Amino acid sequence: MAGEPLITVVGNLVADPEPRVSQAGKSWVTFRIASTPRVRDRQSGDWSDGEPLWLGCRAYGEYADNIAASLTKGMRVIVQGRLTQRSYTDNQGQQRTSLDLEVEEVGPSLRFATAQVNRGQSRGQVGGFGGGNQPQGQSSWGQPAAAQENPWSNSGQGGNGGRSGGQSDFGGGFDDEQPF
C-alpha cells in the first residue's frame, strides 16, 4: 500500500534473526525487537525502565540475507518501516494482537557500539555492517585500502588533499589531531 507513513524505532534484538525461504524460493527474514523507554520518577528523581514495545519485523530478498548475516541477538538497532497489526489466536485459545514492521531500513545504533560497513557483492546492494569479505588490499568501497586508512589525517594525501598546518577542506584552521 503506497502512502503509508514510515515509523522509526530504536530497540534491541531479542533473538537472532530467523532466515526463511518461501515455497517460490525467495528469501525472507523475521526478527523481534524490544524498545524500552527510560522513565523518570518525578518524586525520587530515579530513572527506571518503562513498559517495552515489542515488534516483529520482516524483510525480503537480498535485504533479508544481509540482515540474517549481520544482526545477532542483543544488538541495538534502528529500524524504519511500515507498521502493521495482525490478530491471531495463541496456543491457549486467547485472542491476541501483534504489531509488526515491514522493514524499509535497518542499521546498528552507534550510541554504545561501533560497526564496520561492507558493501554488498551484487548489483543494487548498498551495504551492510559486520562481516563480509573483500579482496586482499581492497577497502569495502572497492578503493585501494591504503587510500582509505584515515581520510581525516594530515599526512600524505589524506582527506585534506595533503595540506599541512591543520587546514581542512571545510576552510577552517582547526587541527585534525586535536579532539573537539
Side-chain angles (χ1 to χ4, degrees), residues 18-115:
E18 297 178 26
R20 301 164 188 248
V21 178
S22 71
Q23 291 179 346
K26 302 289 184 181
S27 302
W28 60 293
V29 68
T30 60
F31 59 96
R32 289 184 53 79
I33 63 171
S35 179
T36 307
R38 295 291 289 168
V39 180
R40 185 169 188 224
D41 183 325
R42 291 181 186 233
Q43 296 195 346
S44 70
D46 293 334
W47 289 89
S48 62
D49 287 341
E51 189 69 29
L53 170 66
W54 299 85
L55 291 171
C57 302
R58 286 185 303 270
Y60 304 92
E62 288 183 55
Y63 197 21
D65 297 336
N66 289 346
I67 290 169
S70 302
L71 302 180
T72 58
K73 178 181 177 178
M75 290 180 94
R76 188 167 181 82
V77 294
I78 303 166
V79 182
Q80 185 178 59
R82 288 176 171 65
L83 189 63
T84 61
Q85 178 178 317
R86 64 183 173 93
S87 297
Y88 64 96
T89 305
D90 68 10
N91 295 340
Q92 289 78 34
Q94 297 280 337
Q95 190 67 21
R96 302 279 184 180
T97 300
S98 173
L99 294 176
D100 299 313
L101 275 180
E102 295 290 331
V103 176
E104 291 287 325
E105 295 290 339
V106 63
S109 170
L110 300 180
R111 175 170 279 184
F112 305 113
T114 61

Side-chain angles (χ1 to χ4, degrees), residues 114-135:
T114 61
Q116 176 66 40
V117 178
N118 298 306
R119 188 171 188 161
Q121 298 299 318
S122 67
R123 189 181 77 139
Q125 284 183 308
V126 179
F129 56 91
N133 296 324
Q134 295 100 338

Side-chain angles (χ1 to χ4, degrees), residues 1-6 82:
M1 299 186 143
E4 294 173 331
L6 295 175
R82 288 176 171 65

